[in-house]
Amino acid sequence: MEWQPDEQGLQQVLQLLKDSQSPNTVTQRAVQQKLEQLNQFPDFNNYLIFVLTRLRTEDEPTRSLSGLILKNNVKAHYQNFPQAVADFVKQECLNNIGDPSPLIRATIGILITTIASKGELQTWPELLPQLCNLLNSEDYNTCEGSFGALQKICEDSSELLDSDALNRPLNIMIPKFLQFFKHCSPKIRSHAIACVNQFIIGRAQALMDNIDTFIESLFALAADEDSEVRKNVCRALVMLLEVRIDRLIPHMHSIIQYMLQRTQDPDENVALEACEFWLTLAEQPICKEMLSGHLVQLTPILVNGMKYSEIDIILLKGDVEEDEAVPDSDQDIKPRFHKSRTVTLQHEGGEGEDEEDIEDDDDDDDDTLSDWNLRKCSAAALDVLANVFRDELLPHLLPLLKGLLFHPDWVIKESGILVLGAIAEGCMQGMVPYLPELIPHLIQCLCDKKALVRSIACWTLSRYAHWVVSQPPDSYLKPLMTELLKRILDGNKRVQEAACSAFATLEEEACTELVPYLSFILDTLVFAFGKYQHKNLLILYDAIGTLADSVGHHLNQPEYIQKLMPPLIAKWNELKDEDKDLFPLLECLSSVATALQSGFLPYCEPVYQRCVTLVQKTLAQAMMYNQHPDQYEAPDKDFMIVALDLLSGLAEGLGGHVEQLVARSNIMTLLFQCMQDTMPEVRQSSFALLGDLTKACFLHVKPCIAEFMPILGLNLNPEFISVCNNATWAIGEISMQMGAEMQPYVGVVLPNLVEIINRPNTPKTLLENTGRHPFPLISLCAAITIGRLGYVCPQEVAPQLQHFIRPWCTSLRNIRDNEEKDSAFRGICVMIGVNPAGVVQDFIFFCDAVASWVNPKNDLRDMFYKILHGFKDQVGEENWQQFSEQFPPLLKERLSACYGV
């Protein structure tokens, strides 16, 4: 007997569906309650599918809604459906996939996919064969409905379809889909390509076996009159470029011609898909060879795509010039992610950048249209192509640029300024001769009457900041800074934002060049405090923090402190402990405290106390959550991380003055807990703070060493680069303070440090070691700490010498002379004194490392002298001659000149 609805029950369900379309919130709440009640009855789902598939007298929105409620039930409770209900739902879906209504067909398709994604593809073996069979139906609706469902399944389960778990259905499905590329209905053709496209990136075997047929079929559809089909063809070719470029190369000339046309397609969605082609091609080694001959056509097309469309201008409120008084809405503000403090040793010669620290700021400035559009894609494509072709791009661009930059129509002029910014990185060399004329023009554009022109001019100028700073300051830096500061106080919020970001970039490039203008800069930034709405306030904190990082102790002048601190502290007092706006303000204050040093003293007490409170609160909340996860919410640990980082900034800036604050707080107890937190970023910031407190007030750290050392040892795990780096650095700082008392802990940390320094990415021979190997910060940090440990406990560390001397020398030769290098080399010299045999095998590496010193202190130079001459005397003149024959000439020269060997 087939299931039949009870009339009264059916009316009840229909009433519920009608009510749920009501805008009234009270009605909505009642509907939610009723749904929860009805879900207790298993055959409620039978009613829902019945309304969707059989009740053709009802209006379509009500039927579709019934299906969507059923979909949510499948998502939440499918494993509790009785078998009979599940079977009825599945059967109804397959029987009605060809409903005359496109909305109902699509709803059934979504329902099928949701069931399939519940692990049902394995237990619903008839689904795929039946859908594939229905594709052959004479009835268009059935064919289209089945294809719609198949496309969703291919999107959701592409990996599963290509696995043995289902007996590789793709071997049948892909050839089947390819037959439909020639179907008379554009909708069906489009479905067919979209289905196959799901399997390109994963290189599904069944597709690779049919790759030539697929490519030929795509070419046959190149001129299709349907824009959806053209879009899917472009998408396919872009993905094939990534995974099967070998198959496209023979046809590349005609593909490029096709993509040039499609990038100008009247349908913007097609143009956008086609524009992705240039971005992807730029990443391929063959890009230059393939595109050289086409730049003359491609360049104007990309430039043309960089204009704002009419829709963009409406969305961006391009005609609204003054909106600074309009409060921001919450969705304007993107979540910010705090980057935990990584100790950068004072010694990078620009080599070992931390592997995780790569930021991407290469977006042009219209972030509020965060959806990817043709303008952004064209700009990004021009940017990457400029990096491939460098100055070869300019002959095609410069004639166009002239016409754009001085155009009377602001939209065209604006796109010209964007072009200029997009090529800044790749074509900088070739642009230099034109910059003396262009930069003043761009500075003038900062006063344009159109806000969108002013904001793009900010961005483009920031891309040339490096050049501006390299010229005499009065020529460009001063006028640029003067105008940018005016724009920071613009009446338009987008311009304020662009100007603040551009100014932060200028600060990073100019550093101490800004010192003469500090008074003027601070007046502007402080004035902006009273003017900015919420979102831009967060960017303003960043500009102030960057200023402090860039000018350092030059900020420590009474008149500057008077200007800057009152508004910052006023904001600090205004914000509640739970307010996420504390993050950027804490980051900003951290930079300011480090720069002001003793100048921060009058403000440090309340700031210090609040940071300690934030750490304490977060730890308490985490503890409650761990004990009763059902009753308490998990805390946002970013509050604790940012507070730890600000405490680090205070310790670094205030030095010994922080001692009294530490004495009056329980920070050491809290630090002990933070160092054991499950979240790596919390541990990372804790170890940075531990190192800074060790330098600033060791008397409070010392009593905790016995408890802290084993935790530090456990965190010497290179899987978490920054955590490991900071723990290593802290151990080194502690060793320098502990002296010989470090002895009991050498065994806890030394084996891990030796393992880190011997990781496989260090050069094996002296000749490989030409400085081209970027030394990871982590090996460098480990080398310095091993040297420091050996300095204070030579008897314990020296026996291990031969296990680390070679990588130790190769990583430390790459850094500039400084205090950390000094203490590490003293340690190695003392260890060689204890265990000279440990260095014999690798003495050439030691010689090379010694030669990397430009100007060692006198007593250290004497240590080097003794070791070199001791070795020479030991082996005798003749052996030394043979040995030194293998030195590179430069090394030989230096050792002879500096040490007479």
Side-chain angles (χ1 to χ4, degrees):
M1 254 308 275
E2 195 189 44
W3 179 87
Q4 285 298 329
D6 162 67
E7 194 49 45
Q8 200 181 348
L10 189 59
Q11 288 314 315
Q12 209 180 346
V13 171
L14 285 171
Q15 190 53 51
L16 183 71
L17 292 168
K18 292 273 188 286
D19 290 345
S20 69
Q21 294 170 60
S22 150
N24 182 328
T25 43
V26 182
T27 316
Q28 282 293 340
R29 233 176 274 133
V31 168
Q32 276 312 327
Q33 280 177 328
K34 190 78 181 142
L35 273 176
E36 276 163 34
Q37 286 169 7
L38 288 171
N39 267 324
Q40 307 305 311
F41 300 103
D43 70 350
F44 173 49
N45 294 301
N46 286 359
Y47 281 92
L48 291 173
I49 189 81
F50 187 87
V51 174
L52 173 67
T53 56
R54 307 268 186 106
L55 270 197
R56 302 207 169 167
T57 48
E58 274 305 321
D59 60 285
E60 287 178 15
T62 302
R63 289 173 60 198
S64 173
L65 183 64
S66 182
L68 294 174
I69 292 174
L70 176 54
K71 178 203 78 160
N72 291 337
N73 286 351
V74 167
K75 257 195 162 142
H77 318 289
Y78 188 73
Q79 64 288 356
N80 304 331
F81 281 23
Q83 195 55 50
V85 173
D87 289 346
F88 182 64
V89 169
K90 291 192 316 202
Q91 202 45 56
E92 281 301 295
C93 284
L94 283 174
N95 290 347
N96 293 279
I97 192 83
D99 192 280
S101 149
L103 176 65
I104 302 301
R105 288 202 297 275
T107 310
I108 293 174
I110 291 169
L111 188 51
I112 289 177
T113 322
T114 312
I115 296 172
S117 68
K118 280 287 179 196
E120 281 292 300
L121 268 177
Q122 284 97 319
T123 51
W124 191 358
E126 67 275 20
L127 174 63
L128 292 172
Q130 222 169 323
L131 285 174
C132 286
N133 239 349
L134 291 170
L135 296 181
N136 301 331
S137 163
E138 294 292 305
D139 173 47
Y140 167 80
N141 292 339
T142 303
C143 176
E144 198 276 324
S146 309
F147 243 133
L150 280 166
Q151 185 180 329
K152 293 186 186 79
I153 292 172
C154 292
E155 282 167 17
D156 288 353
S157 314
S158 60
E159 280 179 25
L160 184 59
L161 292 173
D162 189 31
S163 70
D164 288 328
L166 295 178
N167 216 350
R168 302 209 170 265
L170 285 190
N171 294 338
I172 296 163
M173 288 162 73
I174 295 237
K176 179 105 185 164
F177 295 153
L178 289 171
Q179 293 169 4
F180 283 88
F181 278 35
K182 301 189 179 72
H183 197 278
C184 58
S185 150
K187 187 100 198 263
I188 304 277
R189 294 198 295 276
S190 179
H191 276 314
I193 311 170
C195 284
V196 180
N197 282 358
Q198 299 306 322
F199 303 100
I200 299 177
I201 294 293
R203 300 169 195 259
Q205 193 51 53
L207 177 55
M208 295 302 130
D209 295 343
N210 290 280
I211 194 81
D212 292 326
T213 320
F214 177 44
I215 292 173
E216 278 164 38
S217 311
L218 285 173
F219 289 166
L221 292 175
D224 202 281
E225 78 280 0
D226 183 77
S227 60
E228 200 59 28
V229 171
R230 294 197 303 274
K231 186 177 93 177
N232 281 327
V233 168
C234 291
R235 186 173 290 175
L237 289 169
V238 171
M239 290 190 285
L240 286 168
L241 197 53
E242 272 184 62
V243 298
R244 286 311 300 265
I245 191 164
D246 56 316
R247 282 292 192 261
L248 298 186
I249 286 176
H251 316 284
M252 198 52 97
H253 177 74
S254 41
I255 294 176
I256 287 173
Q257 286 304 324
Y258 175 66
M259 287 300 188
L260 286 166
Q261 278 179 313
R262 290 288 73 84
T263 309
Q264 308 170 75
D265 200 282
D267 183 311
E268 186 175 328
N269 293 324
V270 179
L272 177 57
E273 285 296 338
C275 194
E276 295 277 355
F277 180 82
W278 314 113
L279 264 179
T280 307
L281 184 58
E283 288 165 9
Q284 304 295 332
I286 58 144
C287 173
K288 210 165 176 175
E289 178 195 337
M290 289 294 170
L291 263 188
S292 286
H294 302 282
L295 286 180
V296 61
Q297 293 164 281
L298 175 59
T299 312
I301 293 172
L302 290 177
V303 167
N304 195 38
M306 287 161 77
K307 291 202 298 276
Y308 276 125
S309 67
E310 286 169 27
I311 300 218
D312 291 340
I313 295 170
I314 294 166
L315 289 173
L316 287 169
K317 308 191 174 64
D319 48 350
V320 178
E321 289 306 318
E322 291 233 351
D323 60 355
E324 63 174 353
V326 183
D328 294 337
S329 67
D330 283 346
Q331 58 264 42
D332 286 343
I333 298 156
K334 284 200 290 211
R336 291 179 78 264
F337 300 101
H338 170 71
K339 256 206 333 251
S340 314
R341 193 175 178 98
T342 302
V343 181
T344 44
L345 298 158
Q346 261 74 63
H347 54 235
E348 289 128 297
E351 296 88 4
E353 276 302 300
D354 187 356
E355 286 114 289
E356 303 160 310
D357 200 23
I358 295 162
E359 276 191 70
D360 174 26
D361 60 353
D362 218 24
D363 187 358
D364 76 37
D365 74 326
D366 32 359
D367 273 342
T368 33
L369 277 187
S370 54
D371 12 5
W372 191 232
N373 56 19
L374 184 60
R375 166 186 163 91
K376 286 190 171 183
C377 190
S378 306
L382 190 64
D383 185 344
V384 289
L385 290 170
N387 276 300
V388 172
F389 286 97
R390 302 280 165 189
D391 298 346
E392 292 169 40
L393 194 61
L394 291 177
H396 307 290
L397 261 176
L398 291 172
L400 297 171
L401 262 175
K402 238 188 166 73
L404 301 171
L405 287 170
F406 300 93
H407 201 283
D409 178 348
W410 75 267
V411 176
I412 295 176
K413 176 169 152 184
E414 193 278 346
S415 72
I417 301 173
L418 173 58
V419 169
L420 202 52
I423 61 170
E425 195 189 335
C427 303
M428 183 57 93
Q429 281 322 102
M431 286 307 293
V432 167
Y434 306 99
L435 294 178
E437 185 191 343
L438 282 173
I439 297 295
H441 175 64
L442 286 172
I443 293 175
Q444 247 184 315
C445 293
L446 289 173
C447 316
D448 195 277
K449 58 180 202 301
K450 276 299 194 188
L452 289 172
V453 173
R454 299 197 298 278
S455 68
I456 198 68
C458 291
W459 178 75
T460 293
L461 279 160
S462 76
R463 303 266 290 176
Y464 290 96
H466 184 71
W467 181 84
V468 166
V469 170
S470 68
Q471 306 302 306
D474 284 355
S475 324
Y476 308 102
L477 178 60
K478 209 171 162 185
L480 170 59
M481 199 171 54
T482 312
E483 284 309 315
L484 263 185
L485 289 169
K486 287 183 194 161
R487 291 293 67 84
I488 285 179
L489 303 178
D490 200 277
N492 180 279
K493 291 196 286 192
R494 169 182 303 280
V495 178
Q496 294 171 357
E497 177 186 356
C500 247
S501 303
F503 195 69
T505 305
L506 187 65
E507 290 169 337
E508 285 173 348
E509 290 288 351
C511 294
T512 48
E513 299 270 333
L514 298 178
V515 173
Y517 316 108
L518 268 174
S519 184
F520 181 36
I521 293 172
L522 288 169
D523 285 339
T524 305
L525 296 178
V526 167
F527 192 79
F529 262 111
K531 194 176 168 69
Y532 277 16
Q533 296 290 340
H534 186 180
K535 178 185 177 188
N536 287 348
L537 209 46
L538 308 185
I539 298 164
L540 181 63
Y541 294 145
D542 185 50
I544 292 172
T546 308
L547 180 68
D549 293 338
S550 303
V551 300
H553 64 91
H554 296 284
L555 203 54
N556 188 5
Q557 298 288 337
E559 60 151 328
Y560 301 155
I561 296 173
Q562 262 351 110
K563 289 176 196 267
L564 181 59
M565 289 310 297
L568 281 176
I569 294 296
K571 286 288 173 202
W572 171 259
N573 292 331
E574 229 173 80
L575 291 174
K576 295 192 170 57
D577 277 352
E578 319 42 81
D579 193 328
K580 287 206 163 120
D581 285 4
L582 267 180
F583 298 163
L585 180 53
L586 281 156
E587 281 175 43
C588 168
L589 277 171
S590 181
S591 296
V592 171
T594 310
L596 288 185
Q597 299 173 340
S598 59
F600 199 79
L601 273 173
Y603 307 96
C604 63
E605 178 109 23
V607 173
Y608 180 91
Q609 285 310 335
R610 184 171 196 177
C611 288
V612 172
T613 309
L614 282 169
V615 174
Q616 199 159 358
K617 272 190 175 176
T618 313
L619 285 170
Q621 228 181 314
M623 205 161 94
M624 304 212 296
Y625 171 72
N626 289 335
Q627 289 166 357
H628 308 285
D630 42 341
Q631 292 167 35
Y632 294 99
E633 276 193 27
D636 182 342
K637 288 188 181 173
D638 271 355
F639 283 105
M640 173 156 77
I641 295 167
V642 184
L644 290 166
D645 287 348
L646 176 46
L647 288 169
S648 272
L650 287 174
E652 195 182 328
L654 300 173
H657 295 294
V658 83
E659 190 273 320
Q660 300 153 338
L661 295 170
V662 174
R664 295 201 294 271
S665 70
N666 60 341
I667 188 65
M668 298 315 294
T669 317
L670 299 174
L671 198 50
F672 181 62
Q673 291 175 263
C674 293
M675 285 165 59
Q676 300 174 76
D677 199 272
T678 49
M679 190 174 175
E681 289 79 2
V682 176
R683 301 200 300 279
Q684 178 181 331
S685 293
S686 317
F687 298 139
L689 177 56
L690 176 61
D692 283 318
L693 290 174
T694 299
K695 287 171 84 166
C697 54
F698 187 61
L699 75 129
H700 294 297
V701 176
K702 194 171 180 186
C704 314
I705 293 297
E707 292 180 299
F708 283 7
M709 253 356 207
I711 301 173
L712 285 162
L714 283 174
N715 280 280
L716 297 177
N717 168 8
E719 261 180 65
F720 298 104
I721 291 181
S722 302
V723 179
C724 181
N725 184 51
N726 289 7
T728 305
W729 175 73
I731 293 166
E733 291 297 337
I734 290 169
S735 305
M736 294 310 283
Q737 300 281 353
M738 289 282 282
E741 294 177 58
M742 196 64 189
Q743 219 177 326
Y745 308 111
V746 173
V748 178
V749 296
L750 186 63
N752 290 353
L753 291 170
V754 172
E755 196 177 321
I756 289 168
I757 200 174
N758 279 298
R759 282 171 87 206
N761 51 11
T762 42
K764 297 292 171 279
T765 71
L766 191 56
L767 296 173
E768 273 184 67
N769 189 20
T770 52
R772 274 198 299 271
H773 285 264
F775 263 89
L777 210 60
I778 191 167
S779 318
L780 204 45
C781 214
I784 287 174
T785 296
I786 290 173
R788 290 174 149 193
L789 269 176
Y791 182 60
V792 297
C793 301
Q795 300 297 339
E796 286 69 28
V797 185
Q800 296 291 320
L801 203 50
Q802 75 230 49
H803 298 305
F804 61 74
I805 185 73
R806 181 185 292 196
W808 190 95
C809 292
T810 46
S811 55
L812 280 180
R813 78 183 289 284
N814 282 322
I815 62 171
R816 302 193 194 104
D817 298 5
N818 63 32
E819 285 303 315
E820 287 165 323
K821 184 171 179 174
D822 179 275
S823 56
F825 268 86
R826 286 171 195 276
I828 220 75
C829 292
V830 176
M831 288 189 271
I832 291 173
V834 173
N835 176 16
V839 74
V840 173
Q841 283 315 128
D842 295 305
F843 198 69
I844 185 170
F845 287 89
F846 177 72
C847 297
D848 178 55
V850 167
S852 75
W853 276 91
V854 180
N855 206 353
K857 291 181 185 158
N858 289 337
D859 58 337
L860 181 62
R861 185 187 294 273
D862 292 342
M863 292 166 107
F864 293 159
Y865 185 92
K866 283 196 185 104
I867 291 173
L868 292 168
H869 279 272
F871 187 82
K872 184 179 173 179
D873 298 345
Q874 189 80 37
V875 297
E877 187 64 45
E878 199 180 323
N879 286 335
W880 176 262
Q881 284 308 324
Q882 275 184 316
F883 174 64
S884 60
E885 278 311 304
Q886 35 174 337
F887 288 5
L890 197 66
L891 173 58
K892 212 170 178 171
E893 246 166 76
R894 287 207 64 147
L895 291 177
S896 157
C898 301
Y899 301 99
V901 291

